[in-house]
């Protein structure tokens, strides 16, 4: 019984000493053992590509309308991703992050082959305008 009482007194003294020792200390950011904060959102899986092209007027038997230039979007290894005949400009695509090649199909713009790097959750804009 005496042994149990001694252990209880000893434990009480340790707790008392610990609380006294920490009462006068000033803690700083360097003292932390664990950092917490808002939950980090999961990274976006998709990227966005917006392609603007020069617009041209088309006279279709007396009906005048405007269209953008046709183009292809290829993956970095040359596989077809999108083929755009382009009645509207700009066009926006949701694609996987990575590198893409935009190839105008109009001979006038054959030298405007553009490489686009798409990053997760971000919009990349491409302009095929000639000049």
């Amino acid at each position: 019984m005496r042994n149990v009482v001694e252990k209880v007194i000893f434990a009480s003294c340790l707790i008392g000493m610990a609380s006294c020792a920490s009462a006068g200390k000033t803690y700083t950011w360097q003292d932390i053992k664990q950092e917490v904060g808002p939950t980090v959102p999961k990274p976006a899986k998709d990227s966005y590509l917006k392609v603007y092209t020069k617009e041209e007027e088309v006279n279709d038997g007396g009906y005048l309308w405007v269209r953008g230039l046709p183009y292809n979007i290829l993956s970095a290894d040359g596989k077809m991703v999108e083929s755009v005949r382009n009645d509207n400009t700009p066009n926006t695509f949701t694609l996987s992050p990575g590198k893409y090649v935009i190839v105008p199909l109009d001979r006038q713009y054959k030298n405007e082959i553009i490489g686009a790097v798409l990053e997760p959750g971000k919009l990349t804009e491409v302009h095929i305008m000639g000049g």
Side-chain angles (χ1 to χ4, degrees), residues 119-131:
E119 295 181 8
K122 293 185 179 179
L123 172 70
T124 300
E125 294 185 354
V126 170
H127 298 263
I128 304 171
M129 300 295 181

Side-chain angles (χ1 to χ4, degrees), residues 78-96:
K79 293 179 182 166
M80 180 71 69
V81 175
E82 295 279 345
S83 182
V84 182
R85 295 297 160 242
N86 209 2
D87 290 334
N88 299 311
T89 187
N91 296 73
T92 303
F93 305 91
T94 301
L95 301 170
S96 297

Side-chain angles (χ1 to χ4, degrees), residues 53-105:
T53 69
K54 184 173 182 175
E55 295 176 334
E56 58 183 19
E57 289 184 357
V58 176
N59 188 340
D60 189 12
Y63 177 70
L64 187 64
W65 55 285
V66 176
R67 70 171 182 192
L69 300 171
Y71 55 91
N72 289 336
I73 301 173
L74 310 174
S75 61
D77 61 359
K79 293 179 182 166
M80 180 71 69
V81 175
E82 295 279 345
S83 182
V84 182
R85 295 297 160 242
N86 209 2
D87 290 334
N88 299 311
T89 187
N91 296 73
T92 303
F93 305 91
T94 301
L95 301 170
S96 297
K99 295 180 180 180
Y100 294 87
V101 179
I102 294 86
V103 181
L105 299 179

Side-chain angles (χ1 to χ4, degrees), residues 1-9:
M1 175 87 155
R2 180 175 179 215
N3 204 9
V4 173
V5 173
E6 287 176 349
K7 287 180 182 178
V8 170
I9 293 171

